[in-house]
Amino acid sequence: MEIMNLKRLLVLVLGLACTGLTLAADEPASAPASAALAVFANGETISADDLSRYTERRLDLRQASRNLFGVQGIVKEMALTRALTLEGSSLGVPRRSEGKEQRFDDIYGQAVFTKLAPVCLAPADAAAARKFYDATPAAFQVPTMVRLQRIMLPRTGQIEGMAVAGWLLKQITDMGAHQQTFEQAAQQASKVYNNDPQGDLGWVTLSDDTPIMRAIASVPPGDMVGPVPEGEYIYLFRVMDKHPARTLTWDEAKDAAVKRAVSYCREQTQKSVQAKMFDKYGVKINDKAIEALFERGASTARPAQATAPAAK
């Protein structure tokens, strides 16, 4: 990499201000931490306290609650569960006695979802499976895979006497001048933060539809993405190798085509029911308020735990 190419390496993601070789110190204006994370047409809201209580009892959401996109997913899950609860009441679906006091009753929401969702039937035979394959190539798309290196550091604090964002930018400059390697920078970062892997992550499937993953998928091997502040951390990624997204051939897909037809139907049903419920109950997700949960000192109600949709 030459120094003249460094501007190309700083990919703009997450709507954060990165220009040339400078990372803006101030973050974009956002909603106060006390603002509702989601609102309904009937006046109901989902608050940061609601989120904290929900993640306290959903230990499976602990990992997702550590980052912005995970919390956005949790809030959408909560909103869908609540909308399904309202829908169940309107349809006369009886509530479980032990769940009547819960606004976000996952078990009841799943029961209502099952009533609303069409049954996903498997193709009857090999000919039907091949017909599904030919008609639905999106169901057999293999996501982009990359051999990925990462540096991950807490956004606050310092490293080698520098603010973390400035230190990462210096590493990019040094790498461009062949004075530093990504591996060496990752080793330095591990002295400050080693709770998560630094350096080579191996082959990673970019299946999550987030700005970071889309940015990583868009660059060729050898390029970097970042610095990217996200949640409580800031990241720098380097793509070492890449297998672009592609559609499986029939020979590759045929053994699993029947199961894939069912799982794809369920995925599309989940999206369809969520869209219908959000529209009916006027659900609006407040992304700015969710972002405010992760700003420095913005909230004492920051989620401690987070997502898999409640209804599948």
Side-chain angles (χ1 to χ4, degrees):
M1 294 178 291
E2 301 297 335
I3 294 178
M4 69 179 67
N5 290 329
L6 286 178
K7 292 178 75 172
R8 183 169 63 90
L9 302 181
L10 297 179
V11 181
L12 304 184
V13 293
L14 297 176
L16 295 167
C18 292
T19 305
L21 288 177
T22 62
L23 178 68
D26 296 326
E27 304 200 8
S30 60
S34 59
L37 308 181
V39 297
F40 293 71
N42 66 1
E44 286 192 42
T45 64
I46 295 175
S47 68
D49 285 341
D50 292 328
L51 174 64
S52 292
R53 286 192 292 270
Y54 188 74
T55 55
E56 281 173 8
R57 66 180 175 84
R58 288 286 303 275
L59 299 182
D60 58 308
L61 303 180
R62 180 178 290 123
Q63 182 66 25
S65 70
R66 295 175 62 192
N67 64 81
L68 172 64
F69 302 116
V71 172
Q72 286 173 333
I74 296 169
V75 173
K76 288 179 182 177
E77 175 183 342
M78 294 174 68
L80 177 57
T81 298
R82 183 57 186 158
L84 288 167
T85 300
L86 296 172
E87 182 70 4
S89 296
S90 72
L91 295 175
V93 179
R95 293 288 299 270
R96 304 175 305 123
S97 58
E98 63 270 31
K100 285 184 178 179
E101 302 303 316
Q102 294 183 16
R103 286 181 64 214
F104 307 101
D105 185 345
D106 298 326
I107 296 175
Y108 183 71
Q110 178 65 55
V112 177
F113 178 88
T114 301
K115 287 183 176 296
L116 299 177
V119 176
C120 291
L121 298 175
D125 51 31
R130 178 58 194 258
K131 184 177 180 180
F132 173 78
Y133 170 85
D134 291 335
T136 322
F140 298 92
Q141 184 83 0
V142 177
T144 299
M145 293 185 65
V146 295
R147 181 74 181 268
L148 196 63
Q149 292 178 308
R150 179 186 70 185
I151 295 173
M152 173 183 180
L153 290 165
R155 291 171 68 172
T156 58
Q158 294 190 334
I159 179 169
E160 296 183 337
M162 302 176 65
V164 171
W167 182 84
L168 285 172
L169 287 167
K170 181 178 183 301
Q171 306 317 299
I172 294 173
T173 303
D174 290 347
M175 289 179 221
H178 305 291
Q179 297 173 356
Q180 171 83 301
T181 66
F182 200 101
E183 292 80 2
Q184 290 169 335
Q187 288 175 1
Q188 288 299 107
S190 67
K191 297 176 183 178
V192 175
Y193 180 81
N194 60 12
N195 291 346
D196 291 280
Q198 302 278 14
D200 190 358
L201 301 180
W203 285 96
V204 176
T205 301
L206 304 181
S207 55
D208 294 335
D209 186 21
T210 64
I212 291 177
M213 295 298 102
R214 289 196 295 272
I216 292 171
S218 71
V219 303
D223 272 15
M224 289 184 281
V225 174
V228 183
E230 196 277 295
E232 298 177 357
Y233 299 93
I234 187 166
Y235 302 83
L236 180 64
F237 299 95
R238 180 173 181 264
V239 175
M240 301 170 65
D241 201 355
K242 183 176 184 178
H243 294 322
R246 67 183 182 90
T247 302
L248 294 174
T249 66
W250 173 244
D251 283 343
E252 292 172 320
K254 62 184 179 182
D255 290 341
V258 171
K259 288 184 178 180
R260 182 57 187 144
V262 174
S263 63
Y264 184 75
C265 170
R266 289 172 177 166
E267 291 165 11
Q268 298 309 303
T269 296
Q270 169 77 19
K271 294 177 182 178
S272 175
V273 171
Q274 177 174 296
K276 182 179 179 180
M277 291 295 98
F278 279 19
D279 180 65
K280 181 172 182 177
Y281 293 99
V283 177
K284 303 294 183 186
I285 306 298
N286 187 347
D287 288 327
K288 288 295 183 183
I290 296 172
E291 290 168 11
L293 294 176
F294 288 93
E295 289 188 359
R296 241 164 269 155
S299 173
T300 58
R302 181 176 297 162
Q305 325 285 340
T307 163
K312 292 186 178 178

